[in-house]
């Protein structure tokens, strides 16, 4: 396997092609002995997830592509995965490479119905979030959950992290990503108080218009749930590299803590 810095990059016309993305994941799944499963098929587009064959421990949950106009997130997750075949073989991973392929193709935040998926993860009758919820709720809660996003208004990378009884991961993962993109140092990000790029959530927020993926993962019992955001206006390659570095750091730290 080539080191991650030498992996071929997505050509820009491919960045919004979910089939090109999934072709790479399928190849990787074979190498990593993972199963590729269909979560659901919607409007002619299959939505896939990958799962390790050995499920002896709580999984690492990784997801990207909930918002289709945030293309560096799914490609960054793939870039990390292609450099981590052995790690993928040896541990339990549950990976959703692109939950909104229609949005990725159309370069829009919303899905094919014009809805923001990230306000619907609690809805068990939703044709996508329902099957997603059933996959998650029928397994041991993940030991770590990473939800990868981008933000057009960001001045750098930042992270939402839930407080828990485990040591926080956000700061060290942001530092790892800062090799590629600076941290957003504003004291208020997305209307919330932030410190050094970290928006700490002490409890599940009330009065949301609908529940995001990270909140539902937390409700399902995942002790470490982080949402990583890169600034959409920065160069694509740097955003891809920042996502890969963030995932690498979070997984490595969590593995180190469990040994
Ligand atoms: Zn997003």
């Amino acid at each position: 396997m080539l080191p991650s810095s030498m992996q071929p990059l997505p050509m820009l016309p491919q960045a919004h092609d979910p089939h090109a993305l999934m072709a790479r994941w399928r190849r990787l799944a074979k190498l990593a002995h993972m199963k590729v499963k269909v979560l659901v098929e919607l409007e002619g587009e299959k939505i896939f997830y990958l799962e390790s064959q050995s499920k002896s421990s709580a999984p690492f949950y990784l997801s990207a592509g909930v918002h289709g106009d945030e293309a560096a997130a799914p490609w960054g997750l793939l870039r990390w995965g292609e450099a981590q075949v052995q790690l993928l073989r040896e541990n339990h991973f549950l990976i959703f490479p692109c939950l909104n392929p229609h949005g990725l193709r159309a370069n829009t935040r919303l899905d094919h119905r014009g809805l923001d998926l990230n306000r619907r993860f609690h809805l068990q009758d939703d044709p996508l979030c329902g099957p997603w919820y059933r996959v998650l709720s029928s397994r041991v809660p993940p030991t770590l959950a990473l939800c990868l996003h981008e933000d057009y208004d960001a001045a750098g990378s930042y992270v939402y992290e839930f407080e828990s009884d485990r040591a926080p991961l956000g700061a060290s993962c942001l530092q790892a990503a800062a090799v590629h993109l600076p941290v957003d140092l504003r004291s208020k990000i997305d209307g919330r108080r932030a410190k050094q790029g970290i928006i700490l959530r002490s409890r599940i927020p009330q009065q949301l218009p609908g529940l995001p993926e990270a909140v539902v993962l937390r409700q399902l019992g995942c002790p470490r749930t982080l949402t990583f955001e890169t600034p959409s206006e920065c160069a694509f390659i740097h955003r891809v590299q920042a996502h890969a570095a963030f995932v690498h750091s979070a997984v490595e730290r969590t593995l180190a803590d469990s040994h």
Side-chain angles (χ1 to χ4, degrees), residues 11-56:
M11 301 300 288
L12 278 180
Q14 280 197 324
H16 285 278
D17 180 352
H19 292 178
L21 180 79
M22 277 315 302
R24 295 264 291 261
W25 273 110
R26 244 188 282 275
R27 205 159 55 216
L28 174 54
K30 262 193 198 137
L31 293 169
H33 308 156
M34 295 181 79
K35 279 194 174 151
V36 180
K37 302 178 182 178
V38 178
L39 179 69
V40 68
E41 181 169 351
L42 297 171
E43 296 284 319
E45 196 81 69
K46 288 185 176 121
I47 292 133
F48 297 95
Y49 66 102
L50 282 78
E51 187 164 28
S52 304
Q53 297 192 22
S54 150
K55 303 183 189 68
S56 51

Side-chain angles (χ1 to χ4, degrees), residues 12-259:
L12 278 180
Q14 280 197 324
H16 285 278
D17 180 352
H19 292 178
L21 180 79
M22 277 315 302
R24 295 264 291 261
W25 273 110
R26 244 188 282 275
R27 205 159 55 216
L28 174 54
K30 262 193 198 137
L31 293 169
H33 308 156
M34 295 181 79
K35 279 194 174 151
V36 180
K37 302 178 182 178
V38 178
L39 179 69
V40 68
E41 181 169 351
L42 297 171
E43 296 284 319
E45 196 81 69
K46 288 185 176 121
I47 292 133
F48 297 95
Y49 66 102
L50 282 78
E51 187 164 28
S52 304
Q53 297 192 22
S54 150
K55 303 183 189 68
S56 51
S57 55
F60 290 89
Y61 174 96
L62 312 173
S63 119
V66 163
H67 294 138
D69 57 346
E70 302 173 5
W75 288 100
L77 180 56
L78 174 74
R79 185 176 178 82
W80 167 82
E82 286 182 339
Q84 297 296 335
V85 174
Q86 196 61 31
L87 189 84
L88 287 168
R89 272 188 202 159
E90 292 172 354
N91 295 279
H92 183 189
F93 281 90
L94 188 57
I95 301 177
F96 291 81
C98 182
L99 277 163
N100 179 10
H102 298 89
L104 184 66
R105 191 182 294 288
N107 194 12
T108 59
R109 177 179 176 89
L110 307 178
D111 73 359
H112 60 290
R113 302 165 291 179
L115 298 174
D116 185 343
L117 269 185
N118 217 22
R119 301 289 177 269
R120 303 182 64 78
F121 277 88
H122 60 303
L123 297 175
Q124 294 181 38
D125 58 353
D126 183 272
L128 184 129
C129 297
W132 175 90
Y133 191 91
R134 286 186 278 284
V135 167
L136 266 293
S137 58
S138 63
R139 284 157 176 75
V140 180
T143 184
L144 170 74
L146 303 180
C147 306
L148 305 179
H149 286 259
E150 300 203 88
D151 179 352
Y152 281 93
D153 299 321
S157 298
Y158 66 92
V159 63
Y160 293 91
E161 180 167 22
F162 276 109
E163 260 178 353
S164 80
D165 54 355
R166 312 278 171 100
L169 283 183
S172 58
C173 299
L174 265 187
Q175 283 310 309
V179 172
H180 307 288
L181 284 176
V183 174
D184 190 333
L185 295 173
R186 292 174 297 162
S187 58
K188 213 164 196 189
I189 299 175
D190 201 22
R192 294 170 184 88
R193 280 216 345 233
K195 203 172 175 186
Q196 304 288 319
I198 312 276
I199 302 167
L200 206 56
R201 288 167 158 167
S202 54
R203 56 188 166 77
I204 289 173
Q206 306 288 314
Q207 297 169 328
L208 286 173
L211 295 189
E213 182 185 19
V215 170
V216 178
L217 284 158
R218 179 68 170 166
Q219 286 179 335
L220 285 166
C222 177
R224 275 174 163 164
T225 308
L226 287 88
T227 302
F228 180 54
E229 305 263 0
T230 50
S232 307
E233 302 291 345
C234 290
F236 185 69
I237 178 59
H238 294 155
R239 288 149 48 206
V240 168
Q241 288 170 322
H243 278 281
F246 185 89
V247 174
H248 182 71
S249 175
V251 170
E252 289 294 319
R253 277 286 303 274
T254 305
L255 277 171
D257 287 356
S258 66
H259 289 144

